[in-house]
């Protein structure tokens, strides 16, 4: 393989599961990132008793959030969230710079089962009508960026493409895939979730070819806001055609590292890969944060939260339970 590596302090080789591999194809003015997720994704999903259709949808959302969130150059949080009227009425994925990811799906179990039985468990049908929001949170006292797009289309890819088109962001293409794989562990057959994705963005150097704004903190130079049609740019057309050839199993097969996919797609143009960033299944909840929330409750709300002499709070992302003595919050 003749990928050239830059900024690499790790042994040259595949990034492996749960690591984002950034890349650039200078001849096509492309920047991108690719990932295959394995154990981190499976652990994150296994903590909840999600029906398979919900697990798939959340897994795709996790990959999309990781691909987008990992472009941020500052410390902060990238939040991808849906709010809709379908059987899955909310999905939330947080990606924190440094690689920690957490995710949660809220759904109506009976409605999901009915949709699956009726053969209508594609993402569009599960989500229904509503919105997808992308939020960039740089912490207290910093501006929050939020972009919103209507949930229209049958796939998260379509929704993401609509988002980038409508918000006049830099031209972006994304491919996402999820697979449930049977593995034999200690003599027992187990089912494990895997997922993968690739994101490509068109970032020409020539100012007259730069059309769109980037997400705050993204890869584009700042102040780039010229908007024209990019559909007729040959390099971007070629990039989109190549991205469209990516098969689902190329994104999820553990025997096909993302570097092999990058090589297949861009070998003729020359592709450079950069140091991989590991992704961890890690929640940001803490006893301190829950205490902070409870401290804002009125005496009446505290009284309402008490059951069997304790206040018990469960983190909906990671399922961790925090128990408090109500007298801690007595006024
Ligand atoms: Zn948590």
């Amino acid at each position: 393989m003749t990928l050239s590596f830059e900024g690499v302090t790790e042994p040259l080789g595949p990034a492996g599961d749960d690591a984002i591999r950034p890349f650039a194809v200078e001849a096509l003015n492309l920047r991108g990132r690719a990932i295959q997720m394995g154990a981190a994704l499976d652990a994150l999903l296994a903590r909840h008793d999600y029906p398979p259709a919900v697990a798939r949808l959340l897994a795709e959302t996790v990959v999309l959030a990781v691909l987008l969130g990992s472009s941020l150059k500052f410390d902060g949080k990238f939040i991808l969230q849906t709010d809709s009227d379908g059987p899955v009425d909310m999905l939330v994925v947080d990606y924190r710079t440094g690689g920690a990811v957490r995710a949660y799906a809220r759904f109506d179990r009976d409605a999901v089962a009915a949709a699956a039985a009726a053969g209508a468990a594609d993402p569009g049908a599960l989500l229904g009508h509503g919105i997808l929001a992308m939020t960039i949170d740089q912490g207290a006292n910093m501006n929050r960026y939020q972009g919103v797009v209507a949930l229209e289309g049958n796939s998260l890819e379509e929704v993401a493409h609509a988002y980038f088109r409508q918000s006049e962001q830099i031209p972006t293409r994304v491919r996402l895939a999820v697979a449930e794989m049977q593995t034999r562990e200690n003599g027992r057959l187990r089912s494990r979730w895997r997922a993968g994705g690739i994101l490509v963005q068109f970032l020409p150097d020539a100012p007259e070819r730069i059309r769109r704004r980037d997400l705050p903190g993204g890869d584009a130079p700042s102040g780039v806001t010229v908007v024209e049609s990019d559909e007729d740019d040959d390099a971007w057309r070629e990039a989109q055609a190549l991205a469209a050839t990516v098969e689902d199993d190329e994104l999820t097969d553990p025997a096909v590292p993302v570097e092999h996919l990058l090589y297949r797609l861009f070998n003729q143009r020359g592709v450079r890969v950069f140091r991989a960033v590991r992704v961890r299944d890690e929640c940001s909840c803490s006893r301190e944060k829950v205490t902070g929330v409870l401290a804002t409750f009125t005496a009446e709300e505290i009284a309402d939260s008490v059951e069997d002499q304790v206040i018990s709070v469960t983190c909906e992302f990671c399922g961790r339970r925090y128990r408090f003595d109500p007298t801690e919050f007595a006024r």
Side-chain angles (χ1 to χ4, degrees):
M1 238 168 47
T2 56
L3 299 173
S4 65
F5 285 76
E6 279 228 344
V8 171
T9 57
E10 62 198 280
L12 298 189
D17 281 355
D18 302 318
I20 303 150
R21 180 63 89 183
F23 63 89
V25 184
E26 265 129 38
L28 295 176
N29 302 109
L30 295 184
R31 285 262 175 176
R33 287 174 288 283
I35 189 169
Q36 269 198 34
M37 294 193 69
L41 176 77
D42 189 64
L44 184 154
L45 296 173
R47 208 170 286 128
H48 302 263
D49 182 23
Y50 291 129
V54 177
R56 268 179 191 279
L57 182 55
L58 188 58
E60 275 198 13
T61 314
V62 167
V63 174
L64 181 60
V66 165
L67 289 172
L68 292 170
S70 58
S71 72
L72 303 182
K73 302 293 187 296
F74 47 74
D75 280 345
K77 192 155 68 163
F78 177 86
I79 306 157
L80 201 59
Q81 178 162 9
T82 64
D83 181 5
S84 60
D85 64 3
V88 179
D89 67 350
M90 191 175 78
L91 299 167
V92 193
V93 184
D94 285 3
Y95 175 88
R96 277 175 289 145
T97 41
V101 65
R102 65 176 191 172
Y104 166 66
R106 194 173 67 193
F107 62 99
D108 178 327
R109 195 169 291 278
D110 292 340
V112 169
D122 60 276
L126 287 180
L127 293 169
H129 299 287
I131 54 140
L132 174 124
M134 297 188 193
T135 306
I136 295 170
D137 185 348
Q138 297 182 68
N141 309 321
M142 298 289 281
N143 285 336
R144 263 168 91 95
Y145 161 90
Q146 188 170 65
V148 174
V149 67
L151 285 171
E152 276 161 16
N154 293 319
S155 71
L156 216 52
E157 288 173 12
E158 287 173 36
V159 173
H161 294 156
Y163 173 82
F164 279 96
R165 211 166 41 240
Q166 289 169 24
S167 59
E168 297 179 349
Q169 305 270 354
I170 52 174
T172 301
R173 274 287 173 284
V174 62
R175 278 282 293 114
L176 307 167
V178 180
E180 196 175 6
M181 295 200 167
Q182 303 295 325
T183 59
R184 190 167 285 282
E185 293 163 29
N186 302 324
R188 287 183 54 209
L189 213 52
R190 274 216 51 172
S191 179
R192 296 278 189 197
W193 289 104
R194 294 184 63 79
I198 182 169
L199 171 136
V200 291
Q201 297 189 305
F202 182 50
L203 289 164
D205 298 325
E208 70 277 10
R209 287 174 68 204
I210 298 182
R211 327 288 181 181
R212 302 292 170 88
R213 288 193 301 270
D214 197 0
L215 288 169
D219 290 328
S222 60
V224 171
T225 53
V226 183
V227 177
E228 289 173 37
S229 167
D230 44 64
E231 300 305 324
D232 54 356
D233 191 293
D234 286 343
W236 181 232
R237 236 197 325 235
E238 180 178 338
Q240 292 178 84
L242 287 169
T245 68
V246 177
E247 301 283 348
D248 282 4
D249 57 6
E250 287 181 290
L251 294 172
T252 56
D253 186 343
V256 184
V258 291
E259 292 80 3
H260 286 222
L261 172 62
L262 297 179
Y263 182 80
R264 178 181 80 66
L265 292 174
F266 302 118
N267 172 45
Q268 292 186 339
R269 293 297 195 168
V271 52
R272 285 197 303 152
V273 298
F274 304 92
R275 191 196 310 177
V277 178
R278 296 213 62 82
V279 173
R280 309 182 303 282
D281 157 38
E282 185 184 294
C283 194
S284 54
C285 69
S286 66
R287 187 167 184 88
E288 196 183 356
K289 285 185 188 171
V290 180
T291 306
V293 173
L294 290 174
T296 68
F297 279 27
T298 62
E300 196 181 0
E301 286 170 326
I302 288 289
D304 287 347
S305 309
V306 178
E307 217 169 291
D308 298 330
Q309 276 101 56
V310 294
I311 297 174
S312 170
V313 177
T314 303
C315 174
E316 57 194 11
F317 287 94
C318 70
R320 196 171 302 152
R321 286 182 82 181
Y322 296 94
R323 293 160 71 85
F324 297 89
D325 180 342
T327 59
E328 263 190 68
F329 303 98
R331 310 281 147 115

